[in-house]
Amino acid sequence: ETGVTQTPRHLVMGMTNKKSLKCEQHLGHNAMYWYKQSAKKPLELMFVYNFKEQTENNSVPSRFSPECPNSSHLFLHLHTLQPEDSALYLCASSQEGGPGNTIYFGEGSWLTVV
Amino acid sequence: AQSVTQPDIHITVSEGASLELRCNYSYGATPYLFWYVQSPGQGLQLLLKYFSGDTLVQGIKGFEAEFKRSQSSFNLRKPSVHWSDAAEYFCAVAFTGGGNKLTFGTGTQLKVEL
């Protein structure tokens, strides 16, 4: 079992649908992240949660709504998405604190918006 | 703001040949530097990281990287490439005061010819 598990691995949704991505970490970390990976663009940090509190929202549109019920689980709720939102969404976790803490990534959820 | 440049989008090497992937960063103070690898359909795996001390750092899978402050570079090297090294490689930087937020380069796609 990997340290950071994401489900589903693949998701196709229409622009009027509502869906959610789920992430679970088994590493005892207290910080969790959502990154977006689009073709030919650097990974973009979307949200950061430390001890279940959101500490970073990198100007993400409100059609993406994160939820962190505890330090082990992170969700990304999706609604009324656009085709340009199609991408690989990566969840990650680390110990909260300094920049030297290693960030561990899940395998990602491939999202296609049709 | 800090930034990371990976000037080579694609690199092809023969199996057994040496490899060097370039990474340059833009940041005033000493950064925290990372190299990650992403195999097809997978998440990102940390290869190595540098904070301070010896400027030549060893990582997993036989990779090493050298921090050169004068050139603002953190190039990744491997003496002899294996076919299984074919993947995408990302350089990333973090900084004191920025928490655990990583800024990534656009990645270098490595192809290994048999």
Side-chain angles (χ1 to χ4, degrees), chain A residues 1-63:
Chain A
E1 183 175 318
T2 59
V4 181
T5 305
Q6 292 187 240
T7 56
R9 293 294 312 279
H10 298 271
L11 177 64
V12 179
M13 59 184 290
M15 289 190 285
T16 58
N17 291 159
K18 290 184 180 181
K19 298 286 185 182
S20 297
L21 306 181
K22 177 183 176 182
C23 176
E24 182 175 2
Q25 59 95 2
H26 310 276
L27 300 170
H29 292 158
N30 43 42
M32 296 189 77
Y33 313 78
W34 280 116
Y35 279 85
K36 177 182 178 182
Q37 185 176 24
S38 305
K40 296 183 172 60
K41 294 176 67 176
L43 275 79
E44 302 171 60
L45 178 64
M46 299 175 72
F47 301 103
V48 180
Y49 278 81
N50 288 298
F51 296 100
K52 303 185 299 178
E53 299 298 321
Q54 187 181 117
T55 56
E56 182 84 16
N57 177 336
N58 199 21
S59 302
V60 180
S62 60
R63 58 185 183 270

Side-chain angles (χ1 to χ4, degrees), chain B residues 70-110:
Chain B
S70 61
Q71 298 176 21
S72 298
S73 68
F74 188 57
N75 294 349
L76 182 71
R77 301 193 296 246
K78 187 169 184 178
S80 178
V81 170
H82 188 263
W83 63 266
S84 60
D85 293 324
E88 189 154 23
Y89 292 79
F90 294 92
C91 182
V93 62
F95 62 96
T96 303
N100 279 4
K101 292 184 294 182
L102 287 177
T103 299
F104 283 88
T106 50
T108 297
Q109 185 71 47
L110 173 65

Side-chain angles (χ1 to χ4, degrees), chain A residues 9 31 33 35 37 40-45 48 50 56 88 90 94-108 110, chain B residues 4 9-10 32 34 36 38 40-46 49 51 88 90 94-107:
Chain A
R9 293 294 312 279
Y33 313 78
Y35 279 85
Q37 185 176 24
K40 296 183 172 60
K41 294 176 67 176
L43 275 79
E44 302 171 60
L45 178 64
V48 180
N50 288 298
E56 182 84 16
L88 178 66
L90 291 163
S94 73
Q95 289 296 345
E96 188 274 343
N101 294 328
T102 298
I103 296 179
Y104 294 84
F105 286 83
E107 294 184 328
W110 283 99
Chain B
V4 179
I9 299 174
H10 300 279
Y32 294 72
F34 304 80
Y36 281 84
Q38 185 178 32
Q42 304 296 313
L44 278 70
Q45 181 183 24
L46 180 70
K49 59 185 180 182
F51 306 151
E88 189 154 23
F90 294 92
F95 62 96
T96 303
N100 279 4
K101 292 184 294 182
L102 287 177
T103 299
F104 283 88
T106 50

